[in-house]
Amino acid sequence: LYESIVKLVSPDGRVRPNFKLHGTKTGRLSCEEPNLQQIPRESVNPWNGDAKGAFIPHDGFRLIEFDYSQLEFRLATAYGRDAELLEAFSQGLDVFLPIATSVFGSVDYRQHAKTLVYSTLYGAGIPRIMNALGLSEDEAKRVWALFRESYPGLYEKSKLASRNVQRLGYVKYWTGRKRHLYKSDSHKAFNAAVQGGAAEIVKRAMLRVSNSVCGEDCRMVLTVHDSIVLEIKTEQVEVIVPKVIDLMTDWPAFDVKFAVDAHEWGSK
């Protein structure tokens, strides 16, 4: 990975990868030559424990990453409209705690709740839930039933997406873009809508940021899944960061509160 990056450094010392608009099925931007979306934050190699620290901004600038928090789950919640989840996100609470209480009976099962949520969002069935949580078949069925009963909106929207694939052969993102799926993959339909819809949010956020704040003091240099990396003039960081966060979180049409964490690239 690092050898390929060194070979692709431009004469001015900058690395300029190629971004592909149609490189993924979900619609996310992909990156190649070199793939800077797969730079690890840390490395086990003794000669480079901080891999991202090898990338240095221009003098007088800082690299700031703006990372959406739980973007796909928030979008799924906007679709499902389950009141408890909407309220938890609105109040900035740990959304997995009420799920742990509702499904597992205690906040001590927060990690189980998180695993269950993302397993179901990715179209997991009972066997996958059994494996992910270390449950028997009967226990997994009970947990899945409690989750459906506690958050019926998520379940109903998931079933609707599956029916649409069975009937039409595709799901439609909130932007109108279609993701075609085989009928045999209809169990993946809701996840496709959520992943693809999240990608559409990120791309539109990039356009907002580019049109509103980018210029001599701020340059967009990278996107990694649900995050955007900007090179910002040091004395403008405190001014630009809140503006970017506002631009990325202002989505009133979804009726769910979006959140963005801003930090030095490589610090998380």
Side-chain angles (χ1 to χ4, degrees):
L1 173 63
Y2 301 109
E3 287 183 1
S4 65
I5 292 175
V6 171
K7 292 177 181 177
L8 292 166
V9 174
S10 299
D12 63 357
R14 305 286 281 178
V15 180
R16 296 178 176 84
N18 176 45
F19 285 92
K20 296 187 292 185
L21 289 172
H22 305 292
T24 66
K25 293 180 180 179
T26 61
R28 274 192 176 130
L29 294 177
S30 62
C31 181
E32 64 178 4
E33 296 184 348
N35 185 355
L36 297 184
Q37 293 181 330
Q38 292 186 346
I39 303 300
R41 183 173 66 86
E42 296 178 345
S43 171
V44 297
N45 298 312
W47 45 267
N48 187 11
D50 179 13
K52 287 189 174 180
F55 296 85
I56 304 170
H58 275 117
D59 289 342
F61 285 78
R62 291 167 57 191
L63 290 174
I64 306 296
E65 182 172 24
F66 298 83
D67 192 8
Y68 275 108
S69 173
Q70 302 166 326
L71 178 58
E72 292 179 8
F73 188 20
R74 289 173 194 264
L75 184 57
T77 297
Y79 289 149
R81 299 192 56 75
D82 289 300
E84 186 178 38
L85 299 181
L86 288 170
E87 180 65 17
F89 281 128
S90 174
Q91 296 299 320
L93 305 177
D94 185 341
V95 72
F96 297 112
L97 294 182
I99 298 173
T101 301
S102 299
V103 178
F104 298 98
S106 170
V107 294
D108 294 337
Y109 288 89
R110 179 191 181 279
Q111 188 57 44
H112 274 46
K114 184 176 181 179
T115 300
L116 176 63
V117 165
Y118 285 106
S119 294
T120 54
L121 284 183
Y122 280 84
I126 297 300
R128 170 60 181 154
I129 295 173
M130 291 169 57
N131 182 62
L133 298 179
L135 302 176
S136 68
E137 183 175 358
D138 287 343
E139 290 172 330
K141 287 180 178 178
R142 181 183 64 81
V143 163
W144 178 222
L146 279 172
F147 184 70
R148 291 200 317 257
E149 292 169 8
S150 300
Y151 307 102
L154 282 177
Y155 178 67
E156 288 302 321
K157 285 300 186 292
S158 177
K159 297 301 291 184
L160 175 62
S162 296
R163 289 195 298 270
N164 283 341
V165 168
Q166 289 286 340
R167 184 170 59 92
L168 302 171
Y170 63 82
V171 290
K172 188 181 290 187
Y173 300 168
W174 62 272
T175 57
R177 179 173 180 164
K178 298 175 183 177
R179 165 81 185 276
H180 293 270
L181 292 166
Y182 292 111
K183 291 182 179 181
S184 59
D185 288 332
S186 62
H187 62 288
K188 301 177 182 178
F190 188 55
N191 175 250
V194 169
Q195 275 200 1
E200 298 293 281
I201 288 175
V202 174
K203 287 186 289 189
R204 279 159 176 73
M206 291 173 68
L207 290 173
R208 287 180 176 182
V209 172
S210 178
N211 291 335
S212 299
V213 301
C214 287
E216 292 184 0
D217 294 339
C218 177
R219 311 174 186 117
M220 189 177 298
V221 295
L222 185 64
T223 176
V224 182
H225 304 310
D226 293 340
S227 72
I228 301 170
V229 182
L230 301 180
E231 187 179 51
I232 306 174
K233 187 171 285 187
T234 300
E235 57 265 31
Q236 291 296 318
V237 167
E238 292 187 5
V239 175
I240 291 177
V241 165
K243 291 181 179 179
V244 173
I245 291 175
D246 286 344
L247 289 166
M248 292 178 65
T249 56
D250 183 23
W251 300 97
F254 290 109
D255 201 25
V256 68
K257 185 176 181 180
F258 290 95
V260 168
D261 174 56
H263 54 266
E264 206 86 26
W265 194 56
S267 65
K268 289 189 177 183

